Amino acid sequence: MPFFDVRDNRSRPDSSFTSSFRLVNMLAYIVRRALIALAALLAISFLSYTLVNFTPADPAEVALRVNDIIPTPEAIEEMRTELGLDDPFLVRYVKWLGNAARLDFGNSFTNRSRSVSGELARAFPYTATLAGMALVFVIGLSLPLGVACAVWKDGLFDRGVRLAVFAGTSMPNYWLAYLLIWLFALKFGVLPSSGTSTLAHYILPAMALSTLYIATYVRLIRNSMLENMKENHVLYARARGLSEKRVILGHVLKNSLQSSMTAIGVGIVRLLSGTVVIENIFAIPGLGRLCVASIFNRDYPTIQAYILVMGAFFVLASFLVDALQCALDPRRKAGTANA
Amino acid sequence: MVTVRNVLGCVVAASLLLSSMVVSASGKDPEDTLVMANFRDLRDLNPHLYGGELFAQNLLFEGLIFLNEEGEPEPWLAESWEVSPDGKVYTFKLREDVTFSDGVRFDAHAAKKNFDAVLDNGARHGWLESVRMMIDIEETGKQSVRVKDDFTLEIEFSAPYYPFIIELGVTRPFRMLSPACFKDGTTKNGVACLSGTGSYVLEMNRVDEYSEFVRNPNYWGESPSIGKIVAKVIPDNQARLMALDNGGIDLLYGLQLISPQAFKQFSEKKGFAGALSGPVSTRMLVLNTTSENLRDVRVRRALQHLTSKELISERIMLGLEAPALTLFSRSIPYADIDLEPYQYDQSAAEKLLDEAGWVKSGQVRSKDGKPLEITLTYDTNKVMERTIAQFLQSEWSKAGVKLNLVGEEEQAHRDRLMAGNFDISFNISWGTPYDPQSFLSGMLKPVYGDYAAQQGLEEKQRIDETILKAVAAVDEDERQAHYTYILETLHREAVYLPLTYERNRAIFNSRVGNVGFNPSQFEIPLQFMTLQ
């Protein structure tokens, strides 16, 4: 049976032709984006390896120093051999990349008996829990607040929220973190100030982490809602006699969320990678703290792995968001897919 | 389909769940548990390497010699010891009632295995002359560490070396680990377990979160008063203080963790207390004698006269650290000698600068058309260094010395010192019990700024030779004479500009008692503390 009838399609495309064409177009787009993502990952890996390797300090000396071993010339020589630093740069990079593809990033400088991938795997759940809870706060608060602000535009509620949003975006999160600890841990004593024993330990850090995102997304959703309210389809929906609730939820909000999707998709990864300060203050042993400690100790293998993993998350997230938007929005396939 | 109602429902449910968990978070630790905070994880506690936290290694592992609060050696796993008349052979009589926490007997065979493991990784212990001299013996085909009988151990060196007893008393690397924990008969490639003879055993370690130590039920000595010690990892300074304030932790210990301001605040606060040790190390500046504007000793001496240590002590260190007059406090062994301190005297400084040819015609002195500009480098992570640097910049400018400040992150700063690429830098002595012998021995190697800074001295070679003679001297008077020469020369040449003598400190809530100090500022005598 033919895939589609070309003669019929010349005059009036039938539905099977259209859907097949869409599918092929979409697959081509996804493959193209996947290839770009792979190239981006390769570039990230090369950059991270290069940058870290061209810092002035000798990695062998650093590996000794972070373990409080006095870097005498003999000890440095022995460590250079142990770390395989005698090979040329490109040979080392290719070896490292081959191992990285198998998620083997070597051993940490700060603790030679621990593997970097083990360290990342250990730290990830903490950061994921923190980012997950922050995301719950972000979605749970920014969505209703953004919608409510748009519905009651310029009212007292809208103005109050906008003021709070302004404060939220202008306050550094470390300062907010200290304020939250002072208020909830010191003053009222209702929440723990550090640690990870229970989910309650994540409440204050998640609040501190999510505030900036809540402020950003409230504004984004509000503006997007207001834009959509001016669209003709909303006017027609109202003209058809639909209730205001159905108009807002069914027409305005749906379209507003679609346009906010990219920002929220990438925002999730930003939540993961943006936990550095908060994890330090609240003593959460996640990826952010691992990254900071690695930078301070010049733990090159861990820094390289962290950059690559976070880069992979960003690339993956933007790929998924693009693919999702491509599936949801037919115009994107035809037009902006090449962008 | 996801609706707003569903999302809101989830948020409410999550909030209720979290609220219910707040109750469990407020659970208290048992009464005989001490909770302290540290800024990082325990890391690798292998007692023969240097990567682990000293306080934890001290709880788990013991050595042959114990250094008391005054730094005097006392018996520990060795009941007694003798040194041969030529100073090369040490004989230790070991205790016979000691077992490792895994049940393995501690005896001369176990002790020898520990020493052999250290020698097997000799390149890692380059700072220890004793290891080098033991390896010298091994290289002749003879054993350096020998078992005389089950509880008698003999150690031979290629040359006399008096600081060995002190080195046995410090935490690393000569502490005893059960041979059952060795991997392939050694420890250089890691250890299989952490069984020592110490008063505590490590019950749990959640990496980067917290660790728990419980009393060793089979400890050979007096059992410690505190049943359990929890060490939480809280990297942020402010968060640590808040945790102490709200009862999340009982104790903060160490001068790197407690600023003078925090010490004052908690010492004077109801329900809290503070403890201060005697002077443990010297905070100083090291002046590079090869640097263009500092080659002339008169300029270096002028800077000494321009620095008011009293003001730094009072205003910046809030009186917690006494002004330092010489490289070492007179309480440090062999440093109790008469040296004429450089007094704060601006006119004497200006006179010296005039004599050196630095003419004051404007704000900055100059010579042959070049301004008297000096750069002071410091580690940006150390807030006190930045504050002192800014103070000096202001003070020295009064005499026409332009001080430029360069702050950089720790590793870059260390690299700069190692390469000798600096005019003036902050420096610190190693503190008791490493001073003076280890700090001075460190000057022999191009590892720290000291080596580079001294290269411009005519007497550098003689200083180095005298350091080696001092650690090898068997006769006490001869040893003192060598140290006197080194300290007098460095003082006369004004290579070091002492600022304050650091004192170790602790802050704690009032339930913690008997908070004391070990000679080393990096150790915490937790085993002697009590809880009320």
Side-chain angles (χ1 to χ4, degrees), chain A residues 136-153:
Chain A
V136 168
F137 288 169
V138 170
I139 294 173
L141 285 171
S142 56
L143 197 63
L145 287 176
V147 172
C149 284
V151 171
W152 295 306
K153 179 176 176 281

Side-chain angles (χ1 to χ4, degrees), chain B residues 159 170 214 222 303 323 341 345 357 398 409 443 447 475 502:
Chain B
V170 302
V214 294
E222 192 181 334
L303 298 181
D345 186 344
K398 293 174 190 167
E409 61 98 10
M443 294 174 181
V447 174
D475 180 72
E502 292 188 314

Side-chain angles (χ1 to χ4, degrees), chain B residues 279-282 328-336 429 431-432 435-437:
Chain B
V280 289
S281 51
T282 312
F328 294 121
S329 153
R330 290 187 83 139
S331 61
I332 298 294
Y334 308 106
D336 188 14
S429 74
T432 50
D435 289 341
Q437 71 284 347

Side-chain angles (χ1 to χ4, degrees), chain A residues 32-54:
Chain A
R32 202 162 49 239
R33 295 298 290 177
L35 288 174
I36 292 171
L38 266 179
L41 262 181
L42 202 62
I44 291 169
S45 76
F46 186 75
L47 272 177
S48 74
Y49 197 82
T50 308
L51 288 176
V52 170
N53 267 272
F54 283 103

